[in-house]
Amino acid sequence: GQSLEQPSEVTAVEGAIVQINCTYQTSGFYGLSWYQQHDGGAPTFLSYNALDGLEETGRFSSFLSRSDSYGYLLLQELQMKDSASYFCAVSADSWGKFQFGAGTQVVVTP
Amino acid sequence: EAGVTQFPSHSVIEKGQTVTLRCDPISGHDNLYWYRRVMGKEIKFLLHFVKESKQDESGMPNNRFLAERTGGTYSTLKVQPAELEDSGVYFCASSQSMNTEAFFGQGTRLTVV
C-alpha cells in the first residue's frame, strides 16, 4: 500500500534543533514537500525537494534521499512560534496531487 | 494578493441535510484541489480540477459528494445527504502549475450531528 510515516509528536526547548523524519512508500514520486499548520489555520508551504540533497531556507532545512524513500525537515534555533503541526507530503503524480503524512506535532517549551 | 479563501469556516448540520462548501482559489491558478482531514488522521486528497475540468476525482468517497468548478474560477463541494462520517476539515488548495507550491485555504470545519 501507499503510506507516509512521520513521528506523531516531538517536544523540544527554545533554541534547540529538531529533526522530523518522513519515510514514504508511494506508487509514484515527483517530490517531497513540507507544510506547517498552526491550530485552526491553513497549511503553509515550507519547502519542496524534487532532487536528492539539502535545501536550506533560513532556520528551516529539508533533505531528501530518493533511493531511501526518506526525507527530513530540520528546524533550527527553535522559537515558541514554531509550535505547530508539520506535514510531509509526496507529489505522487505529475499533476501535483499530494499524499500527506499524519503530521508531527512540535511542542516548543521555554 | 488575496490567498485561497473558503466559506463557511464552520458548519454544523444534521445527518441527512445538504451542505455546500465554497473555495475561491488565488486568481490565475488553474489547479484547484480539495482535501479532507478526518479527526486525527492524515489529510487525504479528494479531487483535482484543472481550470473547469476534473483531472482526478479518485479520492471522492462516494456519490454523495459532488464538486464543481464552473468557469474555472471558484469551486463548490456539495455533500448530499450528509452522514456522520463526513465530519472533518475540508481544505482547498490552488497552484499555478503542477508540482509547485500549493496554497491552502484555512479549511471548512464540517460537523455532522
Side-chain angles (χ1 to χ4, degrees), chain A residues 35 42 91 94-95 97-98 102, chain B residues 33 35 55-56 98-99 102 105:
Chain A
Y35 282 81
S91 299
S94 60
W95 292 96
K97 175 174 86 176
F98 286 129
Chain B
Y33 307 85
Y35 290 88
Q55 171 59 34
D56 182 347
M98 282 80 72
N99 288 313

Side-chain angles (χ1 to χ4, degrees), chain B residues 68-79:
Chain B
E68 295 180 325
R69 191 181 182 196
T70 307
T73 54
Y74 72 91
S75 174
T76 58
L77 179 64
K78 183 193 296 189
V79 185

